[in-house]
Amino acid sequence: MMDKFINEISEEIIKLVKEKMEKFMDTERDVYADEHQVKKNGYYERKLLTRWGLIEDLRVPRTRDGEF
């Protein structure tokens, strides 16, 4: 019973961390694109191991110039 609860909490934490990281990276890319006058160019996916567990399918934004 307790293991199930801990697993559910861990999954929710990972989901929240993923959402916040993606939002932060999107904002950073927007600022970079505006400052450098480059176009956004979608996303690629990566896995990221965090202290809370593995985040799969983390959407990492990119720019057309490939510098972000």
Short mmCIF file of all heavy atoms in Angstrom, two decimals:
data_model
loop_
_atom_site.label_atom_id
_atom_site.label_comp_id
_atom_site.label_asym_id
_atom_site.label_seq_id
_atom_site.Cartn_x
_atom_site.Cartn_y
_atom_site.Cartn_z
N MET A 1 0.83 -1.20 0.00
CA MET A 1 0.00 0.00 0.00
C MET A 1 0.87 1.26 0.00
O MET A 1 0.67 2.15 -0.79
CB MET A 1 -0.92 -0.04 1.22
CG MET A 1 -1.79 1.16 1.35
SD MET A 1 -3.25 0.97 0.33
CE MET A 1 -4.25 2.23 0.97
N MET A 2 1.85 1.31 0.90
CA MET A 2 2.72 2.48 0.99
C MET A 2 3.59 2.60 -0.25
O MET A 2 3.83 3.72 -0.71
CB MET A 2 3.58 2.39 2.25
CG MET A 2 4.31 3.66 2.53
SD MET A 2 3.14 5.00 2.80
CE MET A 2 3.98 5.92 4.02
N ASP A 3 4.06 1.47 -0.80
CA ASP A 3 4.89 1.52 -2.01
C ASP A 3 4.12 2.12 -3.18
O ASP A 3 4.67 2.89 -3.96
CB ASP A 3 5.39 0.12 -2.39
CG ASP A 3 6.46 -0.39 -1.44
OD1 ASP A 3 7.09 0.44 -0.75
OD2 ASP A 3 6.67 -1.61 -1.39
N LYS A 4 2.86 1.76 -3.29
CA LYS A 4 2.02 2.30 -4.37
C LYS A 4 1.88 3.81 -4.22
O LYS A 4 2.00 4.56 -5.19
CB LYS A 4 0.65 1.63 -4.36
CG LYS A 4 -0.25 2.12 -5.47
CD LYS A 4 -1.60 1.43 -5.43
CE LYS A 4 -2.49 1.99 -6.52
NZ LYS A 4 -3.84 1.48 -6.46
N PHE A 5 1.67 4.26 -3.01
CA PHE A 5 1.55 5.69 -2.74
C PHE A 5 2.84 6.43 -3.09
O PHE A 5 2.80 7.47 -3.74
CB PHE A 5 1.18 5.92 -1.27
CG PHE A 5 1.14 7.36 -0.88
CD1 PHE A 5 0.09 8.17 -1.29
CD2 PHE A 5 2.15 7.91 -0.10
CE1 PHE A 5 0.04 9.51 -0.92
CE2 PHE A 5 2.11 9.25 0.25
CZ PHE A 5 1.05 10.05 -0.15
N ILE A 6 3.96 5.89 -2.68
CA ILE A 6 5.26 6.51 -2.98
C ILE A 6 5.51 6.55 -4.48
O ILE A 6 5.99 7.56 -5.01
CB ILE A 6 6.40 5.78 -2.23
CG1 ILE A 6 6.25 6.03 -0.72
CG2 ILE A 6 7.77 6.22 -2.74
CD1 ILE A 6 7.18 5.23 0.15
N ASN A 7 5.18 5.49 -5.18
CA ASN A 7 5.34 5.47 -6.64
C ASN A 7 4.46 6.53 -7.31
O ASN A 7 4.90 7.21 -8.25
CB ASN A 7 5.03 4.09 -7.21
CG ASN A 7 6.11 3.08 -6.92
OD1 ASN A 7 7.25 3.44 -6.64
ND2 ASN A 7 5.76 1.82 -6.99
N GLU A 8 3.24 6.67 -6.85
CA GLU A 8 2.34 7.68 -7.41
C GLU A 8 2.87 9.09 -7.17
O GLU A 8 2.83 9.93 -8.07
CB GLU A 8 0.93 7.52 -6.84
CG GLU A 8 0.21 6.29 -7.34
CD GLU A 8 -1.14 6.10 -6.67
OE1 GLU A 8 -1.58 6.97 -5.88
OE2 GLU A 8 -1.77 5.05 -6.93
N ILE A 9 3.37 9.34 -5.98
CA ILE A 9 3.93 10.65 -5.66
C ILE A 9 5.16 10.91 -6.52
O ILE A 9 5.33 12.00 -7.07
CB ILE A 9 4.29 10.75 -4.16
CG1 ILE A 9 3.04 10.68 -3.29
CG2 ILE A 9 5.11 12.01 -3.88
CD1 ILE A 9 2.09 11.84 -3.45
N SER A 10 6.02 9.90 -6.66
CA SER A 10 7.23 10.05 -7.48
C SER A 10 6.87 10.37 -8.93
O SER A 10 7.49 11.23 -9.56
CB SER A 10 8.08 8.78 -7.43
OG SER A 10 8.59 8.58 -6.14
N GLU A 11 5.88 9.70 -9.46
CA GLU A 11 5.44 9.96 -10.84
C GLU A 11 4.92 11.38 -11.00
O GLU A 11 5.19 12.04 -12.00
CB GLU A 11 4.37 8.95 -11.25
CG GLU A 11 4.91 7.55 -11.46
CD GLU A 11 3.83 6.52 -11.71
OE1 GLU A 11 2.65 6.92 -11.94
OE2 GLU A 11 4.14 5.33 -11.68
N GLU A 12 4.18 11.86 -10.01
CA GLU A 12 3.65 13.22 -10.07
C GLU A 12 4.77 14.25 -9.98
O GLU A 12 4.74 15.28 -10.66
CB GLU A 12 2.62 13.46 -8.96
CG GLU A 12 1.32 12.74 -9.19
CD GLU A 12 0.61 13.19 -10.47
OE1 GLU A 12 0.55 14.41 -10.72
OE2 GLU A 12 0.13 12.32 -11.20
N ILE A 13 5.77 13.98 -9.15
CA ILE A 13 6.91 14.90 -9.03
C ILE A 13 7.67 14.96 -10.35
O ILE A 13 8.00 16.04 -10.84
CB ILE A 13 7.84 14.48 -7.87
CG1 ILE A 13 7.16 14.73 -6.53
CG2 ILE A 13 9.17 15.23 -7.95
CD1 ILE A 13 7.89 14.16 -5.34
N ILE A 14 7.92 13.81 -10.95
CA ILE A 14 8.63 13.78 -12.24
C ILE A 14 7.83 14.52 -13.30
O ILE A 14 8.38 15.28 -14.09
CB ILE A 14 8.93 12.32 -12.65
CG1 ILE A 14 10.02 11.75 -11.74
CG2 ILE A 14 9.36 12.24 -14.11
CD1 ILE A 14 10.26 10.28 -11.90
N LYS A 15 6.53 14.33 -13.32
CA LYS A 15 5.66 15.03 -14.28
C LYS A 15 5.75 16.54 -14.08
O LYS A 15 5.89 17.30 -15.05
CB LYS A 15 4.22 14.55 -14.10
CG LYS A 15 3.23 15.17 -15.05
CD LYS A 15 1.84 14.61 -14.77
CE LYS A 15 0.80 15.33 -15.59
NZ LYS A 15 -0.56 14.87 -15.29
N LEU A 16 5.71 16.98 -12.84
CA LEU A 16 5.79 18.41 -12.54
C LEU A 16 7.15 18.98 -12.94
O LEU A 16 7.23 20.05 -13.55
CB LEU A 16 5.52 18.65 -11.06
CG LEU A 16 5.59 20.09 -10.58
CD1 LEU A 16 4.51 20.93 -11.26
CD2 LEU A 16 5.43 20.15 -9.07
N VAL A 17 8.22 18.27 -12.61
CA VAL A 17 9.57 18.72 -12.97
C VAL A 17 9.70 18.82 -14.49
O VAL A 17 10.24 19.80 -15.02
CB VAL A 17 10.65 17.79 -12.37
CG1 VAL A 17 12.03 18.09 -12.94
CG2 VAL A 17 10.67 17.90 -10.86
N LYS A 18 9.19 17.83 -15.20
CA LYS A 18 9.25 17.84 -16.67
C LYS A 18 8.51 19.06 -17.23
O LYS A 18 9.03 19.77 -18.08
CB LYS A 18 8.65 16.55 -17.23
CG LYS A 18 8.64 16.51 -18.74
CD LYS A 18 8.00 15.24 -19.27
CE LYS A 18 7.96 15.28 -20.78
NZ LYS A 18 7.16 14.24 -21.36
N GLU A 19 7.31 19.30 -16.74
CA GLU A 19 6.52 20.44 -17.22
C GLU A 19 7.24 21.76 -16.97
O GLU A 19 7.29 22.63 -17.85
CB GLU A 19 5.15 20.46 -16.53
CG GLU A 19 4.22 19.36 -16.98
CD GLU A 19 2.95 19.30 -16.16
OE1 GLU A 19 2.73 20.16 -15.28
OE2 GLU A 19 2.16 18.36 -16.39
N LYS A 20 7.80 21.93 -15.77
CA LYS A 20 8.48 23.17 -15.43
C LYS A 20 9.75 23.35 -16.25
O LYS A 20 10.05 24.45 -16.70
CB LYS A 20 8.80 23.22 -13.93
CG LYS A 20 7.59 23.27 -13.05
CD LYS A 20 6.76 24.51 -13.29
CE LYS A 20 5.54 24.54 -12.41
NZ LYS A 20 4.68 25.67 -12.68
N MET A 21 10.50 22.28 -16.46
CA MET A 21 11.72 22.37 -17.25
C MET A 21 11.41 22.73 -18.70
O MET A 21 12.09 23.56 -19.31
CB MET A 21 12.51 21.06 -17.19
CG MET A 21 13.17 20.83 -15.85
SD MET A 21 14.17 19.34 -15.82
CE MET A 21 15.52 19.86 -16.85
N GLU A 22 10.38 22.11 -19.26
CA GLU A 22 10.01 22.42 -20.64
C GLU A 22 9.57 23.87 -20.78
O GLU A 22 9.93 24.56 -21.74
CB GLU A 22 8.92 21.45 -21.13
CG GLU A 22 9.44 20.06 -21.36
CD GLU A 22 8.38 19.05 -21.72
OE1 GLU A 22 7.17 19.31 -21.51
OE2 GLU A 22 8.76 17.98 -22.22
N LYS A 23 8.81 24.36 -19.82
CA LYS A 23 8.36 25.76 -19.84
C LYS A 23 9.55 26.70 -19.73
O LYS A 23 9.64 27.68 -20.47
CB LYS A 23 7.36 25.99 -18.70
CG LYS A 23 6.85 27.40 -18.61
CD LYS A 23 5.98 27.74 -19.78
CE LYS A 23 5.38 29.12 -19.58
NZ LYS A 23 4.81 29.65 -20.81
N PHE A 24 10.47 26.40 -18.84
CA PHE A 24 11.67 27.22 -18.66
C PHE A 24 12.50 27.25 -19.94
O PHE A 24 12.92 28.31 -20.39
CB PHE A 24 12.50 26.68 -17.50
CG PHE A 24 13.80 27.40 -17.30
CD1 PHE A 24 13.83 28.66 -16.73
CD2 PHE A 24 14.99 26.82 -17.71
CE1 PHE A 24 15.03 29.33 -16.56
CE2 PHE A 24 16.20 27.48 -17.55
CZ PHE A 24 16.21 28.74 -16.96
N MET A 25 12.71 26.08 -20.56
CA MET A 25 13.51 26.03 -21.79
C MET A 25 12.81 26.76 -22.94
O MET A 25 13.47 27.42 -23.75
CB MET A 25 13.82 24.58 -22.17
CG MET A 25 14.81 23.92 -21.25
SD MET A 25 15.34 22.27 -21.78
CE MET A 25 13.83 21.33 -21.58
N ASP A 26 11.48 26.66 -23.03
CA ASP A 26 10.74 27.39 -24.06
C ASP A 26 10.93 28.90 -23.89
O ASP A 26 11.16 29.62 -24.86
CB ASP A 26 9.24 27.07 -23.99
CG ASP A 26 8.86 25.84 -24.76
OD1 ASP A 26 9.63 25.42 -25.65
OD2 ASP A 26 7.78 25.29 -24.47
N THR A 27 10.83 29.36 -22.66
CA THR A 27 11.01 30.79 -22.38
C THR A 27 12.42 31.23 -22.73
O THR A 27 12.61 32.28 -23.36
CB THR A 27 10.70 31.09 -20.90
OG1 THR A 27 9.36 30.68 -20.62
CG2 THR A 27 10.86 32.56 -20.60
N GLU A 28 13.41 30.43 -22.34
CA GLU A 28 14.81 30.76 -22.67
C GLU A 28 15.02 30.81 -24.18
O GLU A 28 15.71 31.68 -24.69
CB GLU A 28 15.75 29.75 -22.04
CG GLU A 28 15.89 29.89 -20.54
CD GLU A 28 16.61 31.15 -20.13
OE1 GLU A 28 17.70 31.42 -20.67
OE2 GLU A 28 16.07 31.87 -19.29
N ARG A 29 14.43 29.86 -24.90
CA ARG A 29 14.57 29.86 -26.35
C ARG A 29 13.90 31.08 -26.97
O ARG A 29 14.43 31.69 -27.90
CB ARG A 29 13.97 28.59 -26.96
CG ARG A 29 14.30 28.54 -28.45
CD ARG A 29 13.34 27.90 -29.37
NE ARG A 29 11.98 27.76 -28.96
CZ ARG A 29 11.21 26.81 -29.43
NH1 ARG A 29 11.67 25.91 -30.27
NH2 ARG A 29 9.95 26.75 -29.06
N ASP A 30 12.74 31.47 -26.45
CA ASP A 30 12.06 32.65 -26.96
C ASP A 30 12.93 33.89 -26.80
O ASP A 30 13.05 34.70 -27.73
CB ASP A 30 10.72 32.86 -26.26
CG ASP A 30 9.70 31.80 -26.61
OD1 ASP A 30 9.91 31.05 -27.59
OD2 ASP A 30 8.68 31.71 -25.89
N VAL A 31 13.54 34.05 -25.65
CA VAL A 31 14.42 35.19 -25.41
C VAL A 31 15.61 35.14 -26.35
O VAL A 31 15.97 36.14 -26.97
CB VAL A 31 14.88 35.22 -23.93
CG1 VAL A 31 15.98 36.25 -23.71
CG2 VAL A 31 13.70 35.48 -23.00
N TYR A 32 16.23 33.96 -26.48
CA TYR A 32 17.38 33.81 -27.37
C TYR A 32 17.00 34.14 -28.82
O TYR A 32 17.72 34.87 -29.50
CB TYR A 32 17.93 32.38 -27.29
CG TYR A 32 19.05 32.11 -28.26
CD1 TYR A 32 20.36 32.40 -27.92
CD2 TYR A 32 18.80 31.59 -29.53
CE1 TYR A 32 21.40 32.18 -28.81
CE2 TYR A 32 19.82 31.37 -30.43
CZ TYR A 32 21.12 31.66 -30.06
OH TYR A 32 22.14 31.45 -30.95
N ALA A 33 15.88 33.62 -29.28
CA ALA A 33 15.45 33.84 -30.66
C ALA A 33 15.19 35.33 -30.92
O ALA A 33 15.57 35.84 -31.97
CB ALA A 33 14.20 33.02 -30.96
N ASP A 34 14.58 36.01 -29.96
CA ASP A 34 14.33 37.44 -30.12
C ASP A 34 15.63 38.24 -30.14
O ASP A 34 15.81 39.12 -30.97
CB ASP A 34 13.43 37.96 -29.00
CG ASP A 34 12.00 37.49 -29.13
OD1 ASP A 34 11.62 37.01 -30.22
OD2 ASP A 34 11.26 37.57 -28.13
N GLU A 35 16.54 37.93 -29.22
CA GLU A 35 17.79 38.67 -29.13
C GLU A 35 18.70 38.44 -30.33
O GLU A 35 19.42 39.33 -30.75
CB GLU A 35 18.55 38.30 -27.85
CG GLU A 35 17.91 38.83 -26.59
CD GLU A 35 18.63 38.39 -25.33
OE1 GLU A 35 19.58 37.58 -25.41
OE2 GLU A 35 18.22 38.86 -24.25
N HIS A 36 18.69 37.24 -30.88
CA HIS A 36 19.59 36.90 -31.99
C HIS A 36 18.88 36.89 -33.35
O HIS A 36 19.50 36.57 -34.36
CB HIS A 36 20.24 35.54 -31.73
CG HIS A 36 21.15 35.56 -30.56
ND1 HIS A 36 20.72 35.34 -29.27
CD2 HIS A 36 22.48 35.81 -30.46
CE1 HIS A 36 21.73 35.44 -28.43
NE2 HIS A 36 22.81 35.73 -29.13
N GLN A 37 17.61 37.25 -33.33
CA GLN A 37 16.80 37.32 -34.54
C GLN A 37 16.91 36.04 -35.38
O GLN A 37 17.24 36.06 -36.57
CB GLN A 37 17.20 38.55 -35.37
CG GLN A 37 16.95 39.83 -34.62
CD GLN A 37 17.38 41.06 -35.38
OE1 GLN A 37 18.06 40.97 -36.39
NE2 GLN A 37 16.99 42.21 -34.88
N VAL A 38 16.67 34.92 -34.72
CA VAL A 38 16.67 33.63 -35.39
C VAL A 38 15.29 33.00 -35.23
O VAL A 38 14.51 33.39 -34.36
CB VAL A 38 17.76 32.68 -34.85
CG1 VAL A 38 19.14 33.24 -35.11
CG2 VAL A 38 17.56 32.40 -33.38
N LYS A 39 15.01 32.04 -36.05
CA LYS A 39 13.73 31.36 -36.01
C LYS A 39 13.79 30.13 -35.09
O LYS A 39 14.81 29.47 -34.99
CB LYS A 39 13.32 30.93 -37.41
CG LYS A 39 13.07 32.11 -38.31
CD LYS A 39 12.37 31.66 -39.56
CE LYS A 39 12.19 32.85 -40.46
NZ LYS A 39 10.87 33.33 -40.47
N LYS A 40 12.66 29.87 -34.47
CA LYS A 40 12.53 28.65 -33.68
C LYS A 40 12.43 27.48 -34.65
O LYS A 40 11.98 27.64 -35.78
CB LYS A 40 11.28 28.72 -32.81
CG LYS A 40 11.27 29.91 -31.87
CD LYS A 40 9.93 29.97 -31.19
CE LYS A 40 9.71 31.31 -30.55
NZ LYS A 40 8.38 31.43 -29.97
N ASN A 41 12.84 26.30 -34.19
CA ASN A 41 12.85 25.16 -35.10
C ASN A 41 12.41 23.88 -34.39
O ASN A 41 13.07 22.85 -34.46
CB ASN A 41 14.23 24.98 -35.72
CG ASN A 41 14.23 24.02 -36.88
OD1 ASN A 41 13.24 23.88 -37.57
ND2 ASN A 41 15.34 23.34 -37.08
N GLY A 42 11.32 23.95 -33.69
CA GLY A 42 10.75 22.74 -33.10
C GLY A 42 11.48 22.25 -31.86
O GLY A 42 12.08 23.02 -31.11
N TYR A 43 11.44 20.94 -31.69
CA TYR A 43 11.96 20.29 -30.49
C TYR A 43 12.64 18.98 -30.86
O TYR A 43 12.39 18.43 -31.91
CB TYR A 43 10.81 19.95 -29.51
CG TYR A 43 10.04 21.16 -29.07
CD1 TYR A 43 8.98 21.64 -29.82
CD2 TYR A 43 10.37 21.81 -27.90
CE1 TYR A 43 8.26 22.76 -29.41
CE2 TYR A 43 9.66 22.92 -27.48
CZ TYR A 43 8.61 23.39 -28.24
OH TYR A 43 7.91 24.50 -27.84
N TYR A 44 13.48 18.51 -29.96
CA TYR A 44 13.93 17.13 -30.02
C TYR A 44 13.73 16.55 -28.63
O TYR A 44 13.56 17.29 -27.66
CB TYR A 44 15.38 17.01 -30.51
CG TYR A 44 16.42 17.73 -29.68
CD1 TYR A 44 17.10 17.07 -28.67
CD2 TYR A 44 16.74 19.06 -29.92
CE1 TYR A 44 18.06 17.72 -27.91
CE2 TYR A 44 17.69 19.71 -29.17
CZ TYR A 44 18.35 19.04 -28.17
OH TYR A 44 19.30 19.68 -27.41
N GLU A 45 13.70 15.26 -28.54
CA GLU A 45 13.41 14.62 -27.25
C GLU A 45 14.66 13.99 -26.67
O GLU A 45 15.50 13.45 -27.40
CB GLU A 45 12.31 13.57 -27.41
CG GLU A 45 10.97 14.19 -27.74
CD GLU A 45 9.86 13.18 -27.84
OE1 GLU A 45 10.14 11.97 -27.82
OE2 GLU A 45 8.70 13.61 -27.92
N ARG A 46 14.77 14.08 -25.37
CA ARG A 46 15.89 13.51 -24.64
C ARG A 46 15.38 12.87 -23.35
O ARG A 46 14.30 13.20 -22.87
CB ARG A 46 16.91 14.59 -24.25
CG ARG A 46 17.68 15.15 -25.40
CD ARG A 46 18.73 14.12 -25.84
NE ARG A 46 19.62 14.66 -26.82
CZ ARG A 46 19.53 14.45 -28.12
NH1 ARG A 46 18.56 13.73 -28.60
NH2 ARG A 46 20.41 14.96 -28.94
N LYS A 47 16.18 11.99 -22.82
CA LYS A 47 15.94 11.45 -21.49
C LYS A 47 16.85 12.21 -20.53
O LYS A 47 17.95 12.60 -20.90
CB LYS A 47 16.28 9.97 -21.42
CG LYS A 47 15.38 9.11 -22.25
CD LYS A 47 15.79 7.66 -22.16
CE LYS A 47 14.90 6.81 -23.06
NZ LYS A 47 15.30 5.40 -23.03
N LEU A 48 16.38 12.42 -19.31
CA LEU A 48 17.16 13.13 -18.31
C LEU A 48 17.00 12.44 -16.97
O LEU A 48 15.88 12.27 -16.48
CB LEU A 48 16.72 14.59 -18.21
CG LEU A 48 17.45 15.44 -17.20
CD1 LEU A 48 18.92 15.61 -17.61
CD2 LEU A 48 16.77 16.80 -17.06
N LEU A 49 18.11 12.05 -16.38
CA LEU A 49 18.08 11.43 -15.06
C LEU A 49 18.20 12.52 -14.01
O LEU A 49 19.15 13.31 -14.03
CB LEU A 49 19.23 10.42 -14.92
CG LEU A 49 19.26 9.64 -13.61
CD1 LEU A 49 17.97 8.85 -13.41
CD2 LEU A 49 20.46 8.71 -13.59
N THR A 50 17.21 12.60 -13.14
CA THR A 50 17.19 13.61 -12.08
C THR A 50 17.23 12.92 -10.72
O THR A 50 17.13 11.69 -10.64
CB THR A 50 15.92 14.47 -12.15
OG1 THR A 50 14.79 13.66 -11.77
CG2 THR A 50 15.70 15.04 -13.55
N ARG A 51 17.34 13.69 -9.70
CA ARG A 51 17.34 13.11 -8.35
C ARG A 51 16.00 12.45 -8.02
O ARG A 51 15.89 11.65 -7.10
CB ARG A 51 17.70 14.16 -7.32
CG ARG A 51 16.63 15.22 -7.18
CD ARG A 51 16.93 16.37 -6.29
NE ARG A 51 17.84 16.10 -5.23
CZ ARG A 51 18.30 17.00 -4.40
NH1 ARG A 51 17.89 18.24 -4.51
NH2 ARG A 51 19.14 16.69 -3.44
N TRP A 52 14.96 12.80 -8.76
CA TRP A 52 13.63 12.24 -8.52
C TRP A 52 13.32 11.05 -9.42
O TRP A 52 12.32 10.39 -9.23
CB TRP A 52 12.56 13.31 -8.71
CG TRP A 52 12.80 14.46 -7.79
CD1 TRP A 52 12.49 14.52 -6.46
CD2 TRP A 52 13.43 15.69 -8.12
NE1 TRP A 52 12.90 15.72 -5.95
CE2 TRP A 52 13.48 16.47 -6.94
CE3 TRP A 52 13.96 16.23 -9.28
CZ2 TRP A 52 14.03 17.73 -6.90
CZ3 TRP A 52 14.52 17.50 -9.23
CH2 TRP A 52 14.54 18.23 -8.06
N GLY A 53 14.17 10.81 -10.40
CA GLY A 53 13.97 9.70 -11.30
C GLY A 53 14.22 10.09 -12.75
O GLY A 53 14.62 11.23 -13.04
N LEU A 54 13.96 9.18 -13.64
CA LEU A 54 14.21 9.39 -15.06
C LEU A 54 13.03 10.11 -15.70
O LEU A 54 11.88 9.70 -15.56
CB LEU A 54 14.42 8.04 -15.76
CG LEU A 54 14.73 8.08 -17.25
CD1 LEU A 54 16.05 8.78 -17.51
CD2 LEU A 54 14.74 6.67 -17.82
N ILE A 55 13.36 11.21 -16.41
CA ILE A 55 12.35 11.90 -17.20
C ILE A 55 12.55 11.44 -18.64
O ILE A 55 13.63 11.59 -19.20
CB ILE A 55 12.52 13.42 -17.11
CG1 ILE A 55 12.29 13.90 -15.67
CG2 ILE A 55 11.55 14.12 -18.06
CD1 ILE A 55 12.56 15.37 -15.46
N GLU A 56 11.51 10.87 -19.20
CA GLU A 56 11.58 10.41 -20.58
C GLU A 56 10.84 11.40 -21.46
O GLU A 56 9.90 12.06 -21.03
CB GLU A 56 10.99 9.02 -20.70
CG GLU A 56 11.78 8.01 -19.86
CD GLU A 56 11.53 6.59 -20.28
OE1 GLU A 56 11.51 6.33 -21.49
OE2 GLU A 56 11.37 5.77 -19.38
N ASP A 57 11.26 11.49 -22.70
CA ASP A 57 10.59 12.34 -23.70
C ASP A 57 10.56 13.81 -23.29
O ASP A 57 9.57 14.51 -23.50
CB ASP A 57 9.17 11.85 -23.98
CG ASP A 57 9.14 10.40 -24.43
OD1 ASP A 57 10.08 9.99 -25.13
OD2 ASP A 57 8.20 9.68 -24.07
N LEU A 58 11.65 14.29 -22.69
CA LEU A 58 11.77 15.71 -22.37
C LEU A 58 11.92 16.48 -23.67
O LEU A 58 12.83 16.20 -24.46
CB LEU A 58 12.98 15.95 -21.46
CG LEU A 58 13.21 17.38 -21.01
CD1 LEU A 58 12.09 17.83 -20.08
CD2 LEU A 58 14.56 17.48 -20.30
N ARG A 59 11.03 17.41 -23.91
CA ARG A 59 11.06 18.19 -25.16
C ARG A 59 12.04 19.34 -25.00
O ARG A 59 11.81 20.26 -24.23
CB ARG A 59 9.67 18.72 -25.49
CG ARG A 59 8.72 17.63 -25.88
CD ARG A 59 7.28 18.12 -26.02
NE ARG A 59 7.15 19.51 -26.40
CZ ARG A 59 6.60 19.93 -27.54
NH1 ARG A 59 6.10 19.08 -28.38
NH2 ARG A 59 6.52 21.22 -27.81
N VAL A 60 13.13 19.28 -25.77
CA VAL A 60 14.16 20.30 -25.73
C VAL A 60 14.00 21.18 -26.96
O VAL A 60 14.09 20.70 -28.09
CB VAL A 60 15.57 19.66 -25.69
CG1 VAL A 60 16.65 20.72 -25.69
CG2 VAL A 60 15.70 18.71 -24.51
N PRO A 61 13.76 22.49 -26.76
CA PRO A 61 13.56 23.36 -27.91
C PRO A 61 14.86 23.63 -28.65
O PRO A 61 15.96 23.54 -28.09
CB PRO A 61 13.02 24.65 -27.29
CG PRO A 61 13.49 24.64 -25.89
CD PRO A 61 13.62 23.19 -25.50
N ARG A 62 14.74 23.98 -29.92
CA ARG A 62 15.92 24.31 -30.73
C ARG A 62 15.60 25.50 -31.62
O ARG A 62 14.45 25.87 -31.80
CB ARG A 62 16.38 23.12 -31.54
CG ARG A 62 15.36 22.60 -32.51
CD ARG A 62 15.85 21.36 -33.21
NE ARG A 62 14.75 20.82 -34.01
CZ ARG A 62 14.70 19.59 -34.43
NH1 ARG A 62 15.67 18.75 -34.14
NH2 ARG A 62 13.69 19.17 -35.14
N THR A 63 16.67 26.08 -32.15
CA THR A 63 16.53 27.19 -33.10
C THR A 63 17.11 26.75 -34.43
O THR A 63 17.89 25.81 -34.52
CB THR A 63 17.26 28.44 -32.61
OG1 THR A 63 18.64 28.13 -32.41
CG2 THR A 63 16.65 28.98 -31.32
N ARG A 64 16.74 27.48 -35.45
CA ARG A 64 17.18 27.13 -36.79
C ARG A 64 18.69 27.25 -36.93
O ARG A 64 19.32 26.50 -37.67
CB ARG A 64 16.48 28.02 -37.81
CG ARG A 64 16.75 27.56 -39.21
CD ARG A 64 15.64 27.75 -40.16
NE ARG A 64 14.39 27.17 -39.71
CZ ARG A 64 13.30 27.21 -40.44
NH1 ARG A 64 13.32 27.78 -41.60
NH2 ARG A 64 12.20 26.67 -40.01
N ASP A 65 19.30 28.20 -36.22
CA ASP A 65 20.75 28.36 -36.34
C ASP A 65 21.54 27.29 -35.59
O ASP A 65 22.74 27.19 -35.73
CB ASP A 65 21.19 29.76 -35.89
CG ASP A 65 21.06 30.01 -34.40
OD1 ASP A 65 20.52 29.14 -33.68
OD2 ASP A 65 21.49 31.08 -33.94
N GLY A 66 20.86 26.50 -34.78
CA GLY A 66 21.49 25.40 -34.07
C GLY A 66 22.37 25.83 -32.90
O GLY A 66 23.07 25.02 -32.31
N GLU A 67 22.32 27.09 -32.52
CA GLU A 67 23.17 27.60 -31.46
C GLU A 67 22.53 27.55 -30.09
O GLU A 67 23.19 27.69 -29.07
CB GLU A 67 23.60 29.05 -31.76
CG GLU A 67 24.48 29.17 -32.98
CD GLU A 67 25.82 28.46 -32.83
OE1 GLU A 67 26.43 28.55 -31.75
OE2 GLU A 67 26.25 27.80 -33.79
N PHE A 68 21.21 27.38 -30.04
CA PHE A 68 20.54 27.33 -28.73
C PHE A 68 20.56 25.91 -28.22
O PHE A 68 20.23 24.97 -28.89
CB PHE A 68 19.10 27.82 -28.84
CG PHE A 68 18.37 27.77 -27.53
CD1 PHE A 68 18.59 28.73 -26.58
CD2 PHE A 68 17.51 26.74 -27.25
CE1 PHE A 68 17.93 28.70 -25.35
CE2 PHE A 68 16.83 26.68 -26.04
CZ PHE A 68 17.05 27.66 -25.09
#
